[in-house]
Each structure stands twice: as C-alpha cells, then as structure tokens.
Amino acid sequence: MIFANRWIRRVAGFTLALFFFFSSAALAASPSITGVRFGKGTDHDRIVLDVSEIPKYATRTEKNGMQIILELPNTGDSVKVKPVIHSDVVHRVYFTKLKNSVVLTIDLTEPAEFVVKTLKNPNRIFVDIQKEYEHEQKSEPAPGLVETVYTRRDGRGRFRAFLLDVDLKKYDLVPVLANGEVLGRTTVSRMSDEVNAVAAINSNYFASSGEILGVLRMGGTVVGTTYFTRSALGVRTDGTPFVDQVYYSGKMTIGKKSAYVSGVNAERGADTLIIYNRAYDVRTNTNEYGREFVVQNGKVVKINQGNSAIPEDGYVVSVHGKMKNLFAKVRVGDAATLEEDLGTAFQNVPLIVGAGPMLVKKGKPFVTKTEEEFPSDISRGRAPRTGVAVLANRHALLAVVDGRQEASIGATLEEFADLLVKYGAREAVNFDGGGSSAMVIGGELVNSPSDGEERRVGSALAVMPRKAAPAGKTPRKK
C-alpha cells in the first residue's frame, strides 16, 4: 500500500512537470514584443519593434489616411515602458493589448505613404512612414480617357493633382456657360450634368455676375472678351487643339459712323460701346441712360433706350455717353457691320477659351505671367490650379491641382508647368484657379475644392463624346 502511494505521487509529479514544461514551451513559442525604438530621418520616420520571433501581421489605414493600424495576432507585449514617439509626420503612437494580440496605432499629422517590413537575426518588424514620396494611381473611366491621381511629398509639403488624358479622336472639347448663358453662375458639376458630359473642368476667369473675363468663342461666336493680350486654348474645325496668345479688337460701323467695341456681353460703363448677343441673356439688362440698336441681317431693325430683347439671329449694340452722341443720328434701316479681329493664330477658329498665362511651349515650361500682366493673386505663390495641355499624340490633358488644405499645398505657376511637362505637355495654358478649381468625371467631383465645396463659376470646359453635340453649343435654361 505504501509502495502504491509512492508510485502514484511520482507519476503525479512527473505529469505536473510535463504540464509546466509544455506550457512554458507553448508560451515561449508565442511571438512577443521585447523592445520598441523610434528613429527620425530625412525621407522617412521609422518605428522598430524588436520581437522574439517574426509574427504574422495585418495593416490598414483609417480616418482618411490619417491613421495607420498594425495588427499583431497571437503576439504578446513584454515592454513595460515605451518611448514617446512624435515628429512632424507622426502625431502619436500607442499600443493596445487585446486577449491574444497587440494593436499598434499610429496617428499622423497628415496622410502619408508607409511600408511594413521584417528582419531576421535579430528579429524585428518595422514601419517606415515616408516623408518624401511620389505616387500615381491610374484608372480608365471610359474608353479614350485615362485618369491619373498624382501625389507627392517632399520638403515643400504634400501635393495632389488630378489629370485626365483625353483622346480627341473619340471626344470633343466643348465650352459650357453656367445655365446656358453668360449672366449667372453655377458649379462645374451642374454644367457637366446639363450637357451629359463625360468630364468637365472650370475654365475662364469671371466676374460675380457671371460675365466672362477673357476671350471666349463658342461655335464661331464671341461671347466674352478681354482688354489684354493673353493665352488661350483654341480648337480648330477638325478638332485639333493648340495654345497661343489671343486678343480681341472689334469695330462697329453703323451708317457712316464707326467706333471700337469696348466689350462683348459685358456690363456697359460710361462712354462705352458694348455688343450683346444671345449668349448673354434674353435681354441686355441695361438702364435707360443709353441707346441701343437691334441688328439683324446687317441692318438696324429697332432702336431702344435700354434693356432690349436680344434676337436669336442678331445682336444689340448698346452705347452710352460719348458713344451715344457719336451714333445719335442712326435710324432704323441703317446698315450695320461688326468686324472682329482675334489675331492671326485664331482666325476662323470656332472654339477659343482664353484665360492665361501660357505655361508650356514646345515641350518646355514657358510661363508668361509677366508679359500677360497678371496680378499677384494669380502669378505668385502656391494655389489650387486648373489648366489644359496639348499632348503630342492629338490628346488633351485636363489638370486640376488641389491647394490651401492639409492634403495638398497647391502649386506655383512654374510648378504647375513642370507637372504638365512631366505628363507630356507640348503646349499648355492656365485657367482660373483658387476656389474655382474643380474636376468632374462621370458626374462626380473628384478633387477637393479649397472652399470646402464647389464654387459657382461662370463657365466650364466639357469633354463630350465626339459629334454628340456641335462644338460650342450649350443648352439654354428654360
């Protein structure tokens, strides 16, 4: 009996020893974090985890790229005191212990590219958060369209641009007016929807009334002018695009009297002669202190003091002050001739979108901001930008740069030119930018306007399936 009890105790002890042995072996086999280190570099910051053995892991981003999550399942954490991790890119780092895993959370000061790698002997897992990187993501929204989202971070900050390569053998570039007329403004998204465009960007500079500040010709009709010689995108009758400098010079002759045109579809000021065509509105919206001649088929058909109805097949000559006195003897039935000159390069070009300055010429950056007399709010500093480039293969490149926000610092005109050259620009022109910059593809706004929402603008440049609509024609609001 005594022998039996001794034997039972020995077996029990042996069994318990085996239990502790295998339990310890199992615990030892489970990966564990044994140390944490942090290093700051020029092009990246690095978080290093020393581990007993290389664990399995999974990564993801949250909060719009502002948070990196590293999950380490079946991993323990034996580090009691960890270093404070903080830099210009990393806001804070913290560890969360779950039942059988550890979660490493990295809060960023801005979205950033990152990589996770491992090293054996010694066993380490490390996270490199890129301070400098260059990345592009391409997609094909429709046949003949290639969208590129380009992101970059360097010593200047984070930068983001949206580029749309358009095959002009498949698509036409068509100007669109807000609500189908010069007066009034609306968003690029709405203009895109109104004409069922496959894509669109904002285009001309504009006044608060919607008046186009720059040369705009649609379907062969001038609907906006400028007092400066500035750069413009032109599209010839065969669909070929080009960039050159454009100006507007108009001469109005009624009877035996002639005078230069002060503007087209613009607000009538003192001592001016303004031409109003149907792209402006159904009426001139002028006061009674001027005089207006309604012209159809080369003749004056009606004379009013102001707010004349604009004929579909003609135009209205509105004069004030000295111009009113010059044409005081005009009568119904007098011959009327309007001569317009936009320069040799744009003679007989049906589509012109004028803005400026020029950005690229002969495949190289060529910024003409000084020659074109642009004010400092456009010519200096980084800002959101919009522009169009002509590529070598009869493609056009529509481009929008985000700016004035955490995700993107914007671009100077020179930096914008460099970007367009990088993507194959042979010629390029700058459009209106700042809070107006917007790109819509497939009815969806793809960039982030600096106002926090789309700004209402005066005009857009739409991408339409070729021959789906005559170039320059837009629907009029009813």
Side-chain angles (χ1 to χ4, degrees), residues 334-470:
D334 284 354
T337 304
L338 173 62
E339 301 172 79
E340 295 179 305
D341 178 20
L342 292 99
T344 304
F346 289 94
Q347 192 172 24
N348 301 319
V349 174
L351 188 159
I352 304 170
V353 182
M358 186 178 294
L359 297 172
V360 179
K361 184 176 182 179
K362 297 181 179 179
K364 296 181 179 180
F366 189 80
V367 180
T368 57
K369 61 186 182 183
T370 302
E371 297 86 337
E372 297 185 28
E373 301 181 60
F374 274 95
S376 60
D377 62 325
I378 295 172
S379 63
R380 297 180 185 174
R382 292 192 176 95
R385 303 286 181 183
T386 300
V388 174
V390 177
L391 308 184
N393 54 355
R394 195 172 168 175
H395 284 214
L397 185 71
L398 280 56
V400 165
V401 171
D402 279 344
R404 298 173 184 163
Q405 53 192 281
E406 282 190 355
S408 184
I409 59 173
T412 65
L413 289 171
E414 290 78 9
E415 289 169 342
F416 193 25
D418 289 340
L419 175 71
L420 297 175
V421 169
K422 174 183 175 69
Y423 281 91
R426 303 299 301 168
E427 301 172 349
V429 60
N430 185 64
F431 281 176
D432 187 21
S436 300
S437 288
M439 177 180 284
V440 174
I441 300 177
E444 298 292 331
L445 179 69
V446 298
N447 74 304
S448 299
S450 61
D451 287 353
E453 60 183 5
E454 273 193 85
R455 179 178 291 181
R456 294 184 301 117
V457 298
S459 62
L461 183 66
V463 179
M464 304 291 293
R466 192 155 177 77
K467 305 305 180 184

Side-chain angles (χ1 to χ4, degrees), residues 236-441:
R236 299 185 177 92
T237 53
D238 64 355
T240 303
F242 68 98
V243 172
D244 211 324
Q245 290 193 322
V246 68
Y247 61 83
Y248 178 85
S249 177
K251 184 179 179 182
M252 189 72 225
T253 301
I254 305 178
K256 296 182 179 181
K257 298 294 183 179
S258 297
Y260 285 104
V261 176
S262 304
V264 176
N265 293 335
E267 183 179 355
R268 188 191 68 197
D271 302 319
T272 58
L273 184 157
I274 304 295
I275 303 296
Y276 292 102
N277 55 47
R278 198 56 185 274
Y280 183 72
D281 196 359
V282 294
R283 307 190 74 87
T284 61
N285 297 285
T286 52
N287 59 37
E288 68 275 19
Y289 302 115
R291 200 167 187 228
E292 295 184 337
F293 312 113
V294 181
V295 177
Q296 288 178 286
N297 299 317
K299 291 185 178 181
V300 176
V301 297
K302 194 172 184 180
I303 300 176
N304 303 309
Q305 282 188 296
N307 198 26
S308 300
I310 305 172
E312 288 276 6
D313 57 348
Y315 54 91
V316 175
V317 182
S318 184
V319 292
H320 179 275
K322 294 178 181 179
M323 292 294 103
K324 178 181 176 181
N325 295 335
L326 178 66
F327 292 98
K329 294 184 179 180
V330 170
R331 298 291 180 265
V332 171
D334 284 354
T337 304
L338 173 62
E339 301 172 79
E340 295 179 305
D341 178 20
L342 292 99
T344 304
F346 289 94
Q347 192 172 24
N348 301 319
V349 174
L351 188 159
I352 304 170
V353 182
M358 186 178 294
L359 297 172
V360 179
K361 184 176 182 179
K362 297 181 179 179
K364 296 181 179 180
F366 189 80
V367 180
T368 57
K369 61 186 182 183
T370 302
E371 297 86 337
E372 297 185 28
E373 301 181 60
F374 274 95
S376 60
D377 62 325
I378 295 172
S379 63
R380 297 180 185 174
R382 292 192 176 95
R385 303 286 181 183
T386 300
V388 174
V390 177
L391 308 184
N393 54 355
R394 195 172 168 175
H395 284 214
L397 185 71
L398 280 56
V400 165
V401 171
D402 279 344
R404 298 173 184 163
Q405 53 192 281
E406 282 190 355
S408 184
I409 59 173
T412 65
L413 289 171
E414 290 78 9
E415 289 169 342
F416 193 25
D418 289 340
L419 175 71
L420 297 175
V421 169
K422 174 183 175 69
Y423 281 91
R426 303 299 301 168
E427 301 172 349
V429 60
N430 185 64
F431 281 176
D432 187 21
S436 300
S437 288
M439 177 180 284
V440 174
I441 300 177

Side-chain angles (χ1 to χ4, degrees), residues 20-43:
F20 281 116
F21 174 79
F22 286 113
S23 295
S24 298
L27 288 173
S30 178
S32 179
I33 300 173
T34 59
V36 178
R37 289 173 288 128
F38 179 60
K40 298 180 182 180
T42 302
D43 59 350

Side-chain angles (χ1 to χ4, degrees), residues 112-127:
E113 302 287 325
F114 71 96
V115 294
V116 179
K117 295 182 179 180
T118 59
L119 178 69
K120 289 187 176 182
N121 300 318
N123 295 325
R124 292 170 183 167
I125 181 168
F126 54 89
V127 184

Side-chain angles (χ1 to χ4, degrees), residues 64-270:
N64 295 320
M66 295 286 286
Q67 194 174 73
I68 300 170
I69 308 294
L70 173 64
E71 294 183 355
L72 304 169
N74 301 314
T75 301
D77 183 2
S78 61
V79 182
K80 294 182 179 180
V81 180
K82 298 180 175 67
V84 176
I85 299 175
H86 182 270
S87 72
D88 61 333
V89 175
V90 178
H91 174 61
R92 66 168 180 161
V93 175
Y94 56 95
F95 293 78
T96 305
K97 292 183 181 180
L98 303 178
K99 185 176 181 180
N100 294 311
S101 63
V102 176
V103 178
L104 173 65
T105 303
I106 306 169
D107 288 337
L108 303 175
T109 59
E110 61 183 70
E113 302 287 325
F114 71 96
V115 294
V116 179
K117 295 182 179 180
T118 59
L119 178 69
K120 289 187 176 182
N121 300 318
N123 295 325
R124 292 170 183 167
I125 181 168
F126 54 89
V127 184
D128 280 350
I129 301 155
Q130 304 297 319
K131 287 184 174 181
E132 295 191 4
Y133 58 82
E134 191 174 34
H135 181 261
E136 63 178 28
Q137 181 178 345
K138 291 184 179 289
S139 61
E140 188 176 342
L145 299 178
V146 177
E147 178 190 3
T148 301
V149 180
Y150 173 80
T151 55
R152 182 192 70 219
R153 192 184 193 279
D154 54 23
R156 294 167 289 185
R158 183 174 167 83
F159 175 86
R160 181 172 63 195
F162 300 83
L163 305 111
L164 186 67
D165 185 307
V166 181
D167 184 351
L168 295 179
K169 295 184 290 294
K170 292 182 170 65
Y171 298 96
D172 287 319
L173 299 178
V174 180
V176 182
L177 292 171
N179 307 310
E181 59 192 24
V182 170
L183 282 188
R185 298 178 292 133
T186 191
T187 63
V188 175
S189 291
R190 181 172 176 181
M191 283 185 268
S192 178
D193 289 343
E194 285 177 345
V195 297
N196 293 318
V198 295
I201 56 173
N202 65 295
S203 55
N204 302 86
Y205 299 103
F206 60 94
S208 58
S209 64
E211 176 188 332
I212 303 301
L213 304 179
V215 174
L216 179 60
R217 181 187 257 180
M218 303 169 62
T221 300
V222 173
V223 303
T225 54
T226 180
Y227 301 108
F228 299 92
T229 297
R230 286 183 168 166
S231 296
L233 172 74
V235 180
R236 299 185 177 92
T237 53
D238 64 355
T240 303
F242 68 98
V243 172
D244 211 324
Q245 290 193 322
V246 68
Y247 61 83
Y248 178 85
S249 177
K251 184 179 179 182
M252 189 72 225
T253 301
I254 305 178
K256 296 182 179 181
K257 298 294 183 179
S258 297
Y260 285 104
V261 176
S262 304
V264 176
N265 293 335
E267 183 179 355
R268 188 191 68 197

